[in-house]
């Protein structure tokens, strides 16, 4: 057998043996990385993520419940999807109103014009009744629907021909005068005239007011002079607690577990990717 042919056969045998050894070593490492990745993933799959829980909250509430903090009573008006609303009534809430000078205001169901007294520093004003001329004319079958004006004077046409001066036909408007410190009935409340200026009249009164407090999951809510942590145990249960230490401890534990879980995900991903690359490298042609 020629020497050149023998050398060629020897090289082929060496390459074949080298390739087999390369694939065997790769198979061992691939199996190792797959085992590591699978073990990490199994830990992730079997781990139970803890949730924040309070065994003895100060209040455990559902929609429609009432509870009291201090002297104030609160109503749970809504609870759903990790949020809710609380309502309470302030029996002596303060309201204010501003009446601009020469504006029309509704008082006791009637319309009145606000007329501030003359002078640079007025302290009084007058409410003058606004006469609804259109309604009066419509109620009178003998009168025309609109007034007419002749030589600067307004008239009401009676029976299609008779002219009656508007000042004589319509009733004289009623007037009511008030000064600073006086009380006037407004929107069903005893209202105080706080101040009178050339531009406006300032009024104030006290009356019940319903207030709404929005509540978010795991957020603080202040009721009176007390601060609570609002936690939704489920979609229909709101818990209010002042055990902030327990909440901080539980959330720290959850954060720590999440960090471990992220690390295990990293191990699993890297292990499986390494196994895939090693399979590819095992089938690269050998240099020998």
């Amino acid at each position: 057998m020629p020497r050149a042919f023998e050398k060629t056969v020897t090289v082929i045998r060496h390459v074949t043996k080298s390739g087999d050894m390369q694939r065997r070593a790769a198979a061992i490492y691939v199996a190792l990385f797959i085992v590591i990745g699978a073990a990490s993933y199994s830990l992730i799959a079997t781990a139970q993520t803890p949730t924040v829980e309070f065994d003895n909250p100060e209040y455990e509430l559902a929609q429609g419940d009432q509870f009291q903090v201090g002297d104030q009573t609160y109503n749970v008006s809504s609870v759903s999807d990790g949020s809710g609303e609380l309502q309470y009534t302030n029996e002596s809430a303060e309201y204010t109103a501003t009446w601009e000078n020469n504006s029309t205001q509704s008082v006791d169901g009637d319309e009145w014009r606000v007329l501030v007294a003359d002078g640079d520093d007025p302290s009084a004003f007058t409410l003058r009744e606004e006469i609804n001329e259109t309604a009066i004319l419509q109620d009178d079958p003998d009168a025309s629907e609109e007034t007419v004006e002749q030589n600067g004077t307004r008239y009401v046409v009676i029976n299609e021909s008779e002219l009656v001066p508007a000042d004589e036909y319509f009733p004289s408007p009623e007037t009511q005068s008030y000064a600073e410190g006086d009380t006037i009935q407004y929107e069903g409340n005893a209202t105080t005239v706080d101040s009178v200026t050339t531009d406006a009249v300032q009024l104030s009164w006290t009356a019940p007011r319903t207030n709404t407090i929005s509540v978010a999951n795991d957020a603080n809510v202040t009721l009176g002079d007390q601060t609570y942590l609002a936690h939704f145990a489920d979609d229909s249960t709101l818990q209010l607690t002042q055990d902030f230490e327990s909440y901080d401890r539980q959330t720290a534990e959850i954060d720590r577990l999440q960090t471990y879980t992220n690390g295990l995900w990293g191990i699993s991903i890297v292990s499986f990717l390494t196994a895939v690359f090693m399979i590819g490298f095992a089938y690269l042609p050998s240099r020998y």
Side-chain angles (χ1 to χ4, degrees), residues 73-92:
T73 300
Y74 296 85
N75 299 305
V76 182
S77 57
S78 69
V79 175
S80 64
D81 298 330
S83 64
E85 287 186 343
L86 307 177
Q87 289 186 338
Y88 69 97
T89 301
N90 183 350
E91 297 294 341
S92 57

Side-chain angles (χ1 to χ4, degrees), residues 12 14 23-24 63 65 98 106 116 119 126 138 148 168 179 181 184 189 193 211 214 225-226 242 256 277 281:
I12 291 173
H14 181 73
R23 294 189 184 95
R24 290 193 193 98
Q63 184 170 320
D65 286 350
T98 300
S106 178
V116 174
T126 297
Q138 290 177 346
V148 297
E168 297 177 9
I184 179 175
N189 301 284
V193 180
N211 300 283
S214 296
D225 59 354
Q226 300 292 319
Q242 292 182 317
R256 188 160 49 249
F277 286 135
F281 293 152

Side-chain angles (χ1 to χ4, degrees), residues 202-276:
Q202 298 292 335
L203 308 173
S204 67
W205 68 95
T206 58
R209 174 188 286 148
T210 299
N211 300 283
T212 300
I213 302 174
S214 296
V215 181
N217 188 38
D218 292 344
N220 290 350
V221 57
T222 300
L223 305 178
D225 59 354
Q226 300 292 319
T227 299
Y228 295 89
L229 176 73
H231 176 71
F232 290 85
D234 51 50
D235 288 341
S236 61
T237 305
L238 167 63
Q239 296 177 335
L240 298 178
T241 181
Q242 292 182 317
D243 193 355
F244 296 99
E245 182 178 348
S246 174
Y247 174 75
D248 292 339
R249 184 173 60 254
Q250 292 184 70
T251 53
E253 180 64 27
I254 293 172
D255 291 341
R256 188 160 49 249
L257 179 61
Q258 185 61 50
T259 300
Y260 294 155
T261 301
N262 292 340
L264 290 172
W265 272 115
I267 293 173
S268 296
I269 294 171
V270 171
S271 296
F272 288 127
L273 288 177
T274 303
V276 171

Side-chain angles (χ1 to χ4, degrees), residues 100-158:
E100 300 290 340
N101 186 22
N102 203 33
S103 65
T104 300
Q105 302 294 333
S106 178
V107 181
D108 292 337
D110 296 322
E111 298 298 315
W112 302 78
R113 184 164 295 276
V114 180
L115 301 173
V116 174
D118 295 334
D120 295 333
D121 188 19
S123 60
F125 70 98
T126 297
L127 291 179
R128 188 184 67 192
E129 182 185 14
E130 291 282 88
I131 302 299
N132 191 339
E133 296 181 352
T134 300
I136 293 174
L137 292 174
Q138 290 177 346
D139 289 340
D140 187 351
D142 297 329
S144 61
E145 293 184 355
E146 296 180 352
T147 60
V148 297
E149 186 172 335
Q150 292 184 4
N151 299 323
T153 302
R154 287 198 312 136
Y155 294 93
V156 175
V157 180
I158 303 297

Side-chain angles (χ1 to χ4, degrees), residues 37-54:
S40 298
Y41 181 77
S42 66
L43 291 175
I44 297 172
T46 57
Q48 293 183 348
T49 302
T51 58
V52 175
E53 295 180 353
F54 298 100

